[in-house]
């Protein structure tokens, strides 16, 4: 699992070819993470999309902790206590070039 540094942005997903089911690698968060800010953006916006941010306390059992659906891209901030995350492009119609970044924070 890849570690992410506190307060530094990490590009979780960066793909030229977009399709439903596209997933990032799993990332370990710093132990004192209490807030996550994540951002989705596109080179060409799709007609519709659904991103799911998955989180785990034990690095093996994951649950959806947030969902994004804005086709123009968005920035979302959530409070959480998970120790690892990954992002999934659950559904998409059209569009090209997709990226997702994440910043773990201690606030």
């Amino acid at each position: 699992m890849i570690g992410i540094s506190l307060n530094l942005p990490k590009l979780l997903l960066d793909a030229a070819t977009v399709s439903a089911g596209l997933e990032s690698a799993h990332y370990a968060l710093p132990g004192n993470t209490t807030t996550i800010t994540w951002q989705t953006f596109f080179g060409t916006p799709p007609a519709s999309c659904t991103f799911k941010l998955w989180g785990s306390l034990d690095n093996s059992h994951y649950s959806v902790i947030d969902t994004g659906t804005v086709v123009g891209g968005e920035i979302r901030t959530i409070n959480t206590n998970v120790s690892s995350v990954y992002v999934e492009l659950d559904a998409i119609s059209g569009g090209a070039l997709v990226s997702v970044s994440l910043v773990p924070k201690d606030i």
Side-chain angles (χ1 to χ4, degrees), residues 24-94:
S24 73
H26 292 218
Y27 293 89
L29 299 175
N32 51 348
T33 299
T34 57
T35 303
I36 294 174
T37 297
W38 63 295
Q39 178 180 9
T40 59
F41 43 102
F42 297 93
T44 304
S48 66
C49 65
T50 302
F51 287 93
K52 292 182 178 177
L53 181 64
W54 294 79
S56 175
L57 295 171
D58 62 6
N59 302 328
S60 62
H61 298 92
Y62 283 82
S63 298
V64 175
I65 57 174
D66 200 22
T67 303
T69 59
V70 177
V71 297
E74 66 183 315
I75 298 172
R76 301 180 59 83
T77 299
I78 61 169
N79 293 319
T80 185
N81 64 344
V82 297
S83 60
S84 59
V85 296
Y86 74 93
V87 69
E88 173 190 15
L89 178 54
D90 186 53
I92 191 162
S93 176

